[in-house]
Amino acid sequence: MGDTIPWLYRYSQTEQDPIWHSEGNVHIHTDMVLEQLYVLFEKEASYLDETQRQALVLGALLHDIAKTKTTKRKEIQGIERVVAPKHEDNGRSYLAYRLIDLELPISQVHRVMGLVGEHHMPKLLVVKNGDRGAYWRLSRKADTELLYWLEVADMRGRICPDQKTQLSYLDEFRLFCEEYGVWGKTYEFALKEALLPLLENCSSKEKKYTYAHAIHAFERDEIFVIEEAIAKAYANRVAHPELVIVCGPSGSGKSSWISENVQKYQLISLD
């Protein structure tokens, strides 16, 4: 795997903060996380299927991949600490094409990218008292159930003074996910099932517009019941601005698709 993801070779040379990670460098920590993950597979998480387990193993192996690039020393409250700012986002970006080279199904690629890119969020949502919308947004980016198990292994696979507190945050995260209906799933399917029958006489574009605005409004806690979504989008759902972005390699048929599907639209740019 190192030939496809060469940053793996840097783990043993990548230091971590001695307070947050007394166990040592990224290589040591990752090994401990994987050990704890396999313990979970034997016990609390034994119900997970092979696809979920594969995603978690890859997530555990790669969750700190970008620490090899972003780690630096920084003074915090007069003390020099080791930090790796935005290593989650950087890791997700770094892995996007490399995971495809591993010949994984695209759904599994998305699942692993979600774990790597969002693995800091479970504790953060609890600490910052995230609202329902924040949990709903997260559920569209990553599998919350797998995030929970990854972070349990992540916390158990380190040595730090507040480990018990951090694990308690994860338990709270799970409870909130269950309360908001996004434990291991997104809310989108249920939202669409409830919304579309109420728009039976609307056109396809009107349905898409209302559905998109419903997601936007629910995730920002601007509305709380499905009828509000319809009312909020009513004024503009028939006639509203629309931007079409076509993406694809040269010669793949973008211009042909435009002429067949949106020929009356004004062309803004060829690039």
Side-chain angles (χ1 to χ4, degrees):
M1 188 181 290
D3 292 338
T4 303
I5 308 175
W7 284 2
L8 285 167
Y9 293 123
R10 303 181 186 179
Y11 274 14
S12 59
Q13 287 81 47
T14 304
E15 65 176 338
Q16 297 190 109
D17 188 78
I19 297 178
W20 294 329
H21 287 277
S22 298
E23 71 277 3
N25 60 44
V26 171
H27 179 91
I28 295 171
H29 169 59
T30 301
D31 186 56
M32 292 174 66
V33 173
L34 285 167
E35 286 183 6
Q36 290 299 321
L37 184 61
Y38 281 107
V39 171
L40 289 171
F41 288 163
E42 293 294 323
K43 297 180 180 179
E44 301 103 299
S46 61
Y47 66 91
L48 295 174
D49 62 31
E50 290 183 1
T51 299
Q52 292 171 311
R53 293 183 182 213
Q54 182 191 53
L56 278 169
V57 169
L58 289 171
L61 176 65
L62 301 169
H63 75 288
D64 282 341
I65 188 73
K67 280 187 176 181
T68 61
K69 192 71 173 178
T70 61
T71 294
K72 62 181 181 180
R73 291 177 175 249
K74 178 182 179 181
E75 185 175 303
I76 300 176
Q77 296 180 345
I79 302 174
E80 186 179 61
R81 304 294 296 271
V82 179
V83 297
K86 297 185 178 180
H87 72 275
E88 304 90 356
D89 285 338
N90 281 277
R92 174 167 46 199
S93 297
Y94 173 74
L95 292 169
Y97 294 104
R98 291 169 176 84
L99 288 174
I100 293 175
D101 289 340
L102 296 179
E103 299 184 357
L104 296 169
I106 193 64
S107 59
Q108 192 74 321
V109 170
H110 289 161
R111 196 172 286 116
V112 175
M113 287 176 61
L115 293 176
V116 172
E118 304 297 331
H119 74 266
H120 63 303
M121 288 303 295
K123 297 192 295 285
L124 188 63
L125 284 181
V126 173
V127 171
K128 291 187 173 294
N129 197 26
D131 56 23
R132 179 199 61 177
Y135 283 83
W136 281 24
R137 283 194 298 276
L138 177 62
S139 75
R140 289 198 296 118
K141 298 176 182 179
D143 185 316
T144 55
E145 184 176 5
L146 298 187
L147 267 181
Y148 168 80
W149 290 120
L150 173 61
E151 281 309 284
V152 170
D154 187 11
M155 286 310 308
R156 292 181 182 178
R158 70 174 69 182
I159 300 173
C160 58
D162 62 344
Q163 186 185 60
K164 288 184 178 180
T165 300
Q166 297 295 325
L167 286 169
S168 71
Y169 290 153
L170 295 176
D171 289 336
E172 289 185 56
F173 170 77
R174 176 173 183 166
L175 290 173
F176 279 120
C177 285
E178 292 173 345
E179 179 181 345
Y180 296 139
V182 292
W183 174 247
K185 60 183 178 182
T186 72
Y187 65 93
E188 292 173 281
F189 181 74
L191 175 61
K192 184 176 288 188
E193 272 199 328
L195 180 63
L196 294 187
L198 302 177
L199 301 171
E200 186 176 356
N201 297 322
C202 295
S203 68
S204 175
K205 284 189 176 181
E206 290 174 317
K207 291 177 181 178
K208 289 179 180 178
Y209 179 85
T210 305
Y211 175 59
H213 274 261
I215 290 176
H216 183 275
F218 271 117
E219 289 188 357
R220 284 155 184 78
D221 275 341
E222 296 173 356
I223 60 176
F224 298 93
V225 295
I226 201 72
E227 288 76 13
E228 289 181 287
I230 297 173
K232 198 171 183 66
Y234 179 78
N236 297 310
R237 76 182 184 206
V238 175
H240 54 269
E242 184 175 12
L243 173 66
V244 178
I245 300 176
V246 183
C247 179
S250 178
S252 62
K254 298 187 296 296
S255 297
S256 298
W257 185 91
I258 290 172
S259 63
E260 293 172 4
N261 294 277
V262 290
Q263 56 182 323
K264 295 182 180 180
Y265 283 43
Q266 180 180 351
L267 182 63
I268 297 175
S269 174
L270 292 175
D271 299 320

